[in-house]
Amino acid sequence: MRHRKPGNRLSRPADQRKAVLRALSTELLKHNEIITTVAKAKALRPEVEKIITSGKEAHVDDYRATLLKSKQGDEQAKKQVAQAVHLRRQVSAFIYDRNVVNKVFNEIAPRYKDRRGGYTRILKAGFRRGDATPMAIIQLV
């Protein structure tokens, strides 16, 4: 029984579920809006929110200047650069497209720097014609 077990399994094995969420995350961050099923949209929301939060934590206003300071011996700048590199590598391990990773850190994260969460919106979009599955539009706010 799966009583009170967290997470939506999407009727797939773990490797396939992870692949679906990675692909949907990549496409959502690339296009800012996708149409998918309601269940997939609800499962996708926490993954995308974690990625954007990582982008916010790793965002450095002037990366080159911070890198130069770290090479000159500034300990705080070294920590900032190390954290930025670490988070960028973690996000790039999840997202398929390198251009999307750059977009997350350079465009999307600065856009949400003053927002404390809730970066996505799910709108119901009717039912799919073939099998009447409830569809949703998930978009970045």
Side-chain angles (χ1 to χ4, degrees):
M1 285 186 257
R2 69 162 305 279
H3 297 299
R4 297 177 59 108
K5 298 252 185 194
N8 188 345
R9 295 187 352 185
L10 299 176
S11 300
R12 288 176 168 81
D15 59 339
Q16 292 177 16
R17 182 172 55 250
K18 184 178 178 184
V20 165
L21 292 176
R22 287 178 70 187
L24 288 172
S25 299
T26 303
E27 292 304 312
L28 176 61
L29 292 169
K30 183 188 289 186
H31 300 293
N32 295 328
E33 175 179 297
I34 58 172
I35 300 173
T36 185
T37 64
V38 172
K40 287 179 189 171
K42 287 181 179 180
L44 177 63
R45 174 182 274 180
E47 300 297 328
V48 171
E49 304 240 347
K50 288 175 195 171
I51 290 169
I52 294 173
T53 302
S54 296
K56 282 175 51 177
E57 291 172 3
H59 180 70
V60 179
D61 288 329
D62 191 4
Y63 183 79
R64 290 179 192 236
T66 309
L67 184 62
L68 186 62
K69 283 183 191 176
S70 72
K71 288 183 179 178
Q72 293 172 350
D74 186 4
E75 290 298 321
Q76 186 176 1
K78 280 184 183 179
K79 287 181 183 179
Q80 265 189 323
V81 169
Q83 183 183 18
V85 170
H86 173 67
L87 290 171
R88 186 176 285 265
R89 285 179 179 164
Q90 282 190 324
V91 169
S92 65
F94 189 80
I95 298 295
Y96 285 126
D97 190 358
R98 181 172 286 180
N99 294 330
V100 175
V101 173
N102 290 332
K103 181 179 179 182
V104 167
F105 287 93
N106 298 332
E107 296 173 27
I108 296 174
R111 185 167 67 193
Y112 296 119
K113 69 179 180 183
D114 296 328
R115 193 176 182 99
R116 293 180 52 145
Y119 312 118
T120 58
R121 171 188 303 137
I122 297 176
L123 304 169
K124 302 286 175 83
F127 297 92
R128 188 159 53 197
R129 187 170 173 198
D131 58 358
T133 301
M135 299 298 286
I137 299 170
I138 182 167
Q139 55 189 212
L140 298 178
V141 177

